[in-house]
């Protein structure tokens, strides 16, 4: 049972345009959501997070939107740059904070930025 | 943020043998987590390691196959026992801090 789903295994976007990565979840107990970026031969790197009490969080070129009623979140990257080419994982937690960040990950979306 | 070092970064092992992966953190943390990423798959939590107590395993993972040690607040090991080709994966150590999980670079294991 995949509790966090990323239905697009891959996405190609022209450099300078907006990249939109989507994620759906099924577990209503999830209250904290994160996006990670992963390059080959490296561990995932934290990008941005959002608490369930918010519907938007922005950090530079990265914005995460949360729609709790739809159990859907998305990551917007604008403008997209070649260095953004990587696999992006959506993750969720029902126990965030206090050093207990146990995560459930989506299957990942491979983003390719076309120069 | 936490800096996490994992050893080895990669290994090729014969089936039936065991491999121990080490994870060192640059600060004291209460909980450490071990994940597995099988080829083309998501990251799946294997177990949570607390210092001073037995690790808590997720469904589908057992202590006999993946014994874990947590001797202090900055170090943990994961052993992959009696390996088969199906154990070929990336194994990742993680710690949590202020609502984020930080990861080591992973150990790429190939079982032949």
């Amino acid at each position: 049972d995949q509790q966090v789903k990323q239905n697009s295994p891959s996405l190609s976007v022209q450099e300078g345009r907006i990249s939109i990565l989507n994620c759906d979840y099924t577990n209503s107990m999830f209250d904290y959501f994160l996006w990670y970026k992963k390059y080959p031969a490296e561990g995932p790197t934290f990008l941005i997070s959002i608490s369930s009490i918010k519907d938007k969080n922005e950090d530079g070129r990265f914005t995460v939107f949360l729609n709790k009623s739809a159990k859907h979140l998305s990551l917007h990257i604008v403008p997209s740059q070649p260095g953004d080419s990587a696999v992006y994982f959506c993750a969720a937690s029902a126990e965030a904070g206090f050093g207990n960040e146990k995560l459930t990950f989506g299957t990942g979306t491979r983003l390719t930025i076309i120069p | 943020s936490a800096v996490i070092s994992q050893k080895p970064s990669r290994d090729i092992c014969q089936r039936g043998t065991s491999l121990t992966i080490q994870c060192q953190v640059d600060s004291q943390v209460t909980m450490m987590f071990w994940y597995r990423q099988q080829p083309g798959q998501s990251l799946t939590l294997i177990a949570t390691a607390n210092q001073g107590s037995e690790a808590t395993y997720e469904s589908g993972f057992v202590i006999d196959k993946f014994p874990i040690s947590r001797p202090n607040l900055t170090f943990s090991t994961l052993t992959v026992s009696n390996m088969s080709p199906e154990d070929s994966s990336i194994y990742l150590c993680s710690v949590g801090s202020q609502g984020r999980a930080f990861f080591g670079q992973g150990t790429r294991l190939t079982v032949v």
Side-chain angles (χ1 to χ4, degrees):
Chain A
D1 174 32
Q2 190 72 31
Q3 297 186 62
V4 180
K5 301 177 185 179
Q6 294 174 256
N7 292 318
S8 298
S10 64
L11 175 68
S12 294
V13 175
Q14 205 76 34
E15 181 180 358
R17 300 286 185 114
I18 183 170
S19 296
I20 301 176
L21 295 92
N22 293 303
C23 177
D24 298 292
Y25 62 96
T26 58
N27 189 341
S28 299
M29 297 301 293
F30 289 145
D31 59 3
Y32 197 73
F33 304 89
L34 309 90
W35 284 94
Y36 283 84
K37 175 179 178 180
K38 188 178 186 300
Y39 293 118
E42 294 184 13
T45 302
F46 170 81
L47 269 179
I48 192 168
S49 62
I50 188 166
S51 164
S52 60
I53 62 173
K54 295 186 174 182
D55 55 18
K56 177 183 174 182
N57 189 27
E58 192 172 353
D59 184 2
R61 296 186 298 116
F62 303 93
T63 303
V64 56
F65 296 91
L66 175 62
N67 182 335
K68 279 190 298 183
S69 61
K71 292 191 176 67
H72 176 84
L73 63 156
S74 61
L75 174 68
H76 293 209
I77 306 173
V78 57
S80 300
Q81 299 174 354
D84 295 330
S85 294
V87 177
Y88 288 77
F89 289 97
C90 170
S93 172
E95 303 173 56
F98 310 105
N100 189 20
E101 286 76 1
K102 189 168 83 169
L103 301 177
T104 301
F105 281 85
T107 48
T109 297
R110 181 177 299 278
L111 175 65
T112 302
I113 305 302
I114 304 165
Chain B
S1 66
V3 177
I4 303 169
S5 301
Q6 263 185 254
K7 290 181 183 179
S9 58
R10 59 174 59 227
D11 207 341
I12 300 173
C13 299
Q14 296 289 326
R15 67 179 69 199
T17 64
S18 298
L19 175 72
T20 295
I21 302 168
Q22 299 180 7
C23 179
Q24 179 77 51
V25 189
D26 68 343
S27 57
Q28 294 185 341
V29 293
T30 305
M31 294 188 181
M32 297 175 76
F33 305 95
W34 286 98
Y35 288 83
R36 178 177 75 178
Q37 185 185 17
Q38 293 178 300
Q41 303 295 314
S42 180
L43 284 76
T44 302
L45 182 64
I46 298 171
T48 302
N50 275 338
Q51 194 266 333
S53 63
E54 282 207 1
T56 303
Y57 289 82
E58 298 299 308
S59 175
F61 298 96
V62 294
I63 187 171
D64 290 346
K65 177 66 176 177
F66 297 102
I68 288 171
S69 80
R70 184 78 200 275
N72 58 53
L73 291 173
T74 64
F75 187 78
S76 178
T77 67
L78 169 76
T79 298
V80 186
S81 303
N82 189 24
M83 288 184 284
S84 66
E86 292 71 34
D87 294 320
S88 297
S89 297
I90 299 173
Y91 292 85
L92 296 137
C93 171
S94 171
V95 302
S97 176
Q98 298 180 331
R100 308 176 182 183
F102 296 90
F103 289 84
Q105 81 276 20
T107 296
R108 182 179 292 273
L109 170 62
T110 302
V111 183
V112 297

